[in-house]
Amino acid sequence: MALTNSQYASIIKDYEQIRDRRRRLLEARRAQVYRDIPEYLTLEDSISSLSVSAARDILSGDADAPRRLHCALDEIRRKQRGLLASAGLPDSYLEPEYDCPLCQDTGYLAAENGPKQKCSCFRRREISILYAQSNIQDMIARENFSTLSSEYYQGEDLQRFEAAVRLSRDFVKNFKQDYRNILFYGTVGTGKSFLSGCIAKELIDGGLSVIYFSASGFFDTLARYSFDHREKENLLDMQEDIYGCDLLIVDDLGTELTNTFVASQLFSCLNERNLRRRPTIISTNLSLEELRDRYSDRIFSRVTSSFSLCKLTGPDIRICKRAGRFSSGNVRHFPRD
């Protein structure tokens, strides 16, 4: 899924509104010209009578009628351009204008062979919606592969970080071909969320849908939709977004208040997305043992059997930053937990 039906409909409605606005503008201009330059309207009216007369001549066998009509129409257009120029108006004043000349404000490019293709302006709208939907717009603006730094890792910690980066890049590269989930786990502040953001930005820029939640926000949202009678009618739409988006990211699993509702919802989400072959990324500060103890055996089994387990260790980079450690002049980027 790239967009939900409602999101797609919203974009199409936007194009309809643009075309309506442009059509009203053209009608207003035409009315203005007809009012201020009556000779223009007279010439316009003469086109219909000329066309009817030419059609009659063609039916009667006059082979020269098409040529005469073409010359007459050219002369009318020349006079009309002259009238517009005398009024200080450009030749194109009564021609349709478009916000996007490529697709003429339809969102799609006509193709001689095969289906229509989305115009670049449609893609810009689509990506804008996907960024807003992801809930991580601000984060990935500053935390992405272009701002990645390994300056804070040494020894085994560095090896683990470099392996995690390779896994993340490979995840993006093969996203459409390979179904894969990732569990980033390990100590606090070692870049787990940062790498999730790197992946999210690449996929969103590619037009794919990514939904990001902190674990507490994820389960709070599900609880609100499940237990608030005013929200129940939207529960199915919410579940479809969560189950059907191209990538779901649940950040900081373990920080939520864990109970039977949370465990049930987590398993349902993982199971449904697995059935649909929709990738999921989870980050947590919990160890595998803590993950097993906090959640049910079937959740632990699901995660360990269907997720790539990626452990990150090292100092808390946020603390290092505040303390001024690794204060090389080249250090600018700080992966967060």
Side-chain angles (χ1 to χ4, degrees):
M1 141 180 149
L3 293 175
T4 64
N5 289 338
S6 61
Q7 289 168 338
Y8 178 83
S10 176
I11 292 178
I12 295 302
K13 184 177 181 180
D14 185 35
Y15 279 114
E16 291 173 352
Q17 292 173 340
I18 291 172
R19 293 196 298 272
D20 286 343
R21 173 170 52 82
R22 287 295 185 180
R23 185 164 49 247
R24 289 193 299 270
L25 174 61
L26 184 59
E27 289 171 354
R29 286 183 173 184
R30 194 174 298 280
Q32 171 204 341
V33 169
Y34 290 167
R35 182 185 65 249
D36 297 343
I37 315 174
E39 297 92 340
Y40 192 99
L41 178 58
T42 301
L43 289 171
E44 192 95 331
D45 291 340
S46 70
I47 293 176
S48 297
S49 58
L50 281 172
S51 299
V52 171
S53 176
R56 189 181 302 115
D57 292 341
I58 291 171
L59 291 174
S60 67
D62 186 348
D64 194 45
R67 185 194 63 79
R68 291 200 308 272
L69 175 63
H70 180 75
C71 291
L73 293 177
D74 281 349
E75 179 62 16
I76 288 173
R77 295 189 185 101
R78 185 189 66 78
K79 291 179 178 178
Q80 287 179 321
R81 289 194 297 269
L83 290 172
L84 291 175
S86 66
L89 301 174
D91 292 350
S92 61
Y93 191 67
L94 295 181
E95 294 177 3
E97 294 182 352
Y98 305 101
D99 285 9
C100 179
L102 291 176
C103 67
Q104 297 185 351
D105 298 333
T106 64
Y108 284 86
L109 302 174
E112 294 182 3
N113 299 311
K116 293 181 179 180
Q117 300 294 318
K118 290 179 181 177
C119 183
S120 57
C121 64
F122 190 105
R123 299 291 294 148
R124 286 194 296 271
R125 285 176 167 82
E126 189 174 38
I127 290 173
S128 177
I129 288 176
L130 296 177
Y131 264 109
Q133 174 182 287
S134 71
N135 295 331
I136 53 173
Q137 198 164 7
D138 292 337
M139 184 183 87
I140 61 180
R142 61 181 184 274
E143 299 181 357
N144 51 70
F145 281 125
S146 68
T147 63
L148 198 66
S149 171
S150 60
E151 299 262 356
Y152 299 97
Y153 303 88
Q154 298 179 5
E156 185 178 4
D157 298 335
L158 176 60
Q159 294 175 8
R160 284 176 170 164
F161 178 73
E162 290 175 340
V165 173
R166 288 193 297 270
L167 174 65
S168 300
R169 292 188 183 278
D170 186 59
F171 182 87
V172 170
K173 179 180 178 181
N174 300 307
F175 186 83
K176 294 183 179 180
Q177 292 78 38
D178 297 338
Y179 168 64
R180 179 185 292 184
N181 306 296
I182 299 178
L183 173 70
F184 290 119
Y185 73 102
T187 51
V188 175
T190 49
K192 300 183 291 295
S193 297
F194 187 101
L195 289 173
S196 298
C198 291
I199 292 171
K201 176 173 171 53
E202 295 298 312
L203 296 182
I204 294 172
D205 284 348
L208 297 171
S209 58
V210 178
I211 294 181
Y212 166 93
F213 278 104
S214 66
S216 57
F218 180 64
F219 295 113
D220 285 348
T221 300
L222 288 174
R224 184 177 71 253
Y225 276 78
S226 299
F227 300 126
D228 187 338
H229 70 277
R230 293 168 298 182
E231 298 284 3
K232 283 212 168 185
E233 63 183 32
N234 298 319
L235 177 59
L236 292 179
D237 289 339
M238 177 65 181
Q239 288 175 331
E240 180 57 34
D241 284 344
I242 290 174
Y243 297 156
C245 65
D246 292 313
L247 176 65
L248 173 68
I249 298 175
V250 180
D251 195 24
D252 280 339
L253 185 67
T255 57
E256 78 288 348
L257 179 62
T258 307
N259 51 37
T260 55
F261 173 80
V262 166
S264 173
Q265 290 297 315
L266 179 57
F267 179 79
S268 295
C269 178
L270 296 180
N271 188 59
E272 183 64 28
R273 288 187 62 80
N274 185 58
L275 291 174
R276 299 190 187 196
R277 311 294 285 177
R278 298 293 190 182
T280 304
I281 293 177
I282 295 174
S283 73
T284 181
N285 296 329
L286 301 175
S287 66
L288 294 181
E289 293 77 11
E290 291 170 329
L291 191 68
R292 180 195 59 206
D293 294 341
R294 182 181 288 252
Y295 302 99
S296 65
D297 288 340
R298 62 178 183 168
I299 290 176
F300 183 72
S301 175
R302 174 72 66 187
V303 170
T304 54
S305 64
S306 59
F307 279 66
S308 296
L309 306 181
C310 186
K311 185 175 184 180
L312 287 163
T313 55
D316 186 332
I317 294 168
R318 289 165 297 190
I319 294 177
C320 292
K321 179 182 177 182
R322 288 195 295 269
R325 291 177 60 188
F326 306 108
S327 56
S328 165
N330 295 324
V331 177
R332 297 170 306 190
H333 313 308
F334 304 92
R336 70 187 189 93
D337 180 48

